[in-house]
Amino acid sequence: MFWLLYMPGLRKWARRIGLTIAPDWIGEARRNLEQWTLQIVDNTEKALRKKSVENMPDGDVPIVYNQLKLAHTKERYAKGVDLALAPTSEERLQIASECLDHLSIAYTFVVYEISRHQEAQRKLHKELENLKSLKLPLGPSTSDLPTAAELESLPLLNAMIKESLRLRGTLPTPNPRVTPLDKVTTIGPYKSIPGGIRISSFAWCLHRNENVFPDCENWRPERWLGELGDLGEQERWFWTFGSGSRMCVGDSLAIEMIRYAVALMFTNFHTSVVVSEGFGKDRQWVVGKPDEKLVLRFDEIHAEEA
């Protein structure tokens, strides 16, 4: 990934003289992912042109896409761009990237972890019992939904989401920084690093520091409730979206959307794992391997069970 990100010109030049710096399959996989996510965006856009959200069955409403497009619509309005126009090439790529990186994959792993921890799921159902406005079918207006602040105040919901994101990071590549030019830098055991040196951090590695995250390889949402390890230190090391001036600008939106999606699902359904062949066990950072398989069972929660 280093060559693809930082020296694409050198890689192309080397290919002309018969040298291969990065395997061909990396570029092919990158193009396939891009085409796959763009196809999802285009198909969703076509579906919305045929039928408005108000006329769609609850299960067919593209909630995630709608939220992302709403953000772009606000930007268009601010710039005076015609709101009726289809997304531009740049907007398509931005929406596709958000759907891939932070939402589709992250959401899948949140649901997977909750589904395979049945006792934790029962506690989550209990916490969500009072969210009557999330019971299907939903009301006709988004004003009927719980506020973002209400969902943010649910400790177990947020702990489960955060712990799932800790274990399955959304950053597939090194997150580079350059040390300050006017001084030497110390990073952990590495002292006197000169200025202007490119360094990289991996959230995957930071999140598996056993000194900070006790029992770091296992899904333990109680750590975010102050019941395992130093909560303040764990918060400081949580790096799913990066930090500082180059932190992901969409982190709040991504977390909020995942909160709504998870709360909606587990207010209405009990889930369990049917098949999980190799899923989540390959230590890959983003999408894992093609032969991974995950099948979940959904059982509706009826009023008398809630």
Side-chain angles (χ1 to χ4, degrees):
M1 293 303 295
F2 171 85
W3 301 105
L4 291 176
L5 287 172
Y6 306 119
M7 294 190 175
L10 177 61
R11 179 171 175 265
K12 291 179 181 177
W13 176 83
R15 288 180 64 88
R16 291 176 184 170
I17 60 173
L19 297 177
T20 302
I21 294 178
D24 290 340
W25 64 264
I26 293 179
E28 182 180 353
R30 192 178 183 183
R31 288 189 294 273
N32 288 342
L33 278 174
E34 183 177 293
Q35 290 303 314
W36 174 57
T37 51
L38 285 175
Q39 185 178 5
I40 292 174
V41 170
D42 293 341
N43 289 343
T44 305
E45 192 66 29
K46 289 177 184 176
L48 288 173
R49 290 199 199 104
K50 292 179 181 178
K51 187 182 291 187
S52 66
V53 171
E54 291 76 15
N55 295 323
M56 286 184 175
D58 289 330
D60 293 344
V61 176
I63 299 173
V64 171
Y65 180 86
N66 253 8
Q67 291 292 331
L68 289 169
K69 190 175 179 184
L70 178 61
H72 284 280
T73 299
K74 291 179 179 178
E75 288 184 12
R76 282 185 166 201
Y77 180 79
K79 295 176 181 177
V81 179
D82 187 351
L83 301 182
L85 294 175
T88 63
S89 297
E90 182 180 354
E91 288 173 340
R92 287 170 67 237
L93 285 170
Q94 288 174 350
I95 294 174
S97 173
E98 286 299 322
C99 286
L100 172 67
D101 290 347
H102 299 311
L103 299 176
S104 304
I105 298 167
Y107 178 65
T108 298
F109 275 90
V110 174
V111 174
Y112 166 66
E113 292 291 359
I114 296 174
S115 299
R116 74 190 192 97
H117 292 87
Q118 292 294 301
E119 181 58 33
Q121 186 177 157
R122 280 188 282 273
K123 293 179 181 178
L124 180 61
H125 289 314
K126 188 72 176 175
E127 184 176 76
L128 297 173
E129 276 182 354
N130 294 326
L131 297 181
K132 304 301 183 184
S133 58
L134 282 180
K135 291 295 291 182
L136 295 175
L138 297 178
S141 171
T142 55
S143 62
D144 297 329
L145 297 175
T147 65
E150 286 180 89
L151 293 186
E152 191 175 0
S153 69
L154 298 176
L156 194 54
L157 171 67
N158 288 282
M160 290 182 175
I161 291 173
K162 205 161 190 175
E163 181 68 351
S164 301
L165 293 178
R166 180 188 71 83
L167 282 174
R168 191 70 174 198
T170 56
L171 296 174
T173 61
N175 205 355
R177 299 288 187 272
V178 175
T179 56
L181 293 173
D182 58 346
K183 61 181 179 180
V184 295
T185 301
T186 297
I187 303 176
Y190 304 101
K191 304 182 186 301
S192 301
I193 302 172
I197 299 298
R198 182 187 296 276
I199 59 173
S200 293
S201 298
F202 286 89
W204 193 95
C205 298
L206 295 175
H207 290 166
R208 282 163 175 76
N209 183 342
E210 185 70 31
N211 294 325
V212 176
F213 300 100
D215 197 16
C216 63
E217 291 288 351
N218 291 310
W219 191 77
R220 301 284 300 275
E222 63 268 26
R223 74 173 75 251
W224 302 107
L225 302 175
E227 299 173 13
L228 180 65
D230 184 331
L231 179 58
E233 190 69 359
Q234 290 176 145
E235 291 280 7
R236 194 172 73 84
W237 279 68
F238 185 70
W239 220 54
T240 292
F241 298 101
S243 61
S245 61
R246 296 189 59 186
M247 182 176 180
C248 172
V249 296
D251 66 316
S252 297
L253 175 62
I255 288 291
E256 184 174 320
M257 293 167 69
I258 292 174
R259 273 197 206 108
Y260 272 104
V262 173
L264 178 64
M265 175 176 291
F266 290 99
T267 296
N268 293 279
F269 298 99
H270 174 271
T271 66
S272 54
V273 177
V274 178
V275 178
S276 60
E277 296 176 4
F279 191 84
K281 298 179 178 63
D282 55 54
R283 294 171 175 256
Q284 299 290 327
W285 287 308
V286 185
V287 293
K289 297 178 180 178
D291 58 352
E292 286 186 357
K293 183 184 295 184
L294 177 64
V295 179
L296 301 179
R297 171 173 172 166
F298 290 75
D299 292 298
E300 186 174 0
I301 298 175
H302 299 288
E304 60 271 16
E305 301 175 31

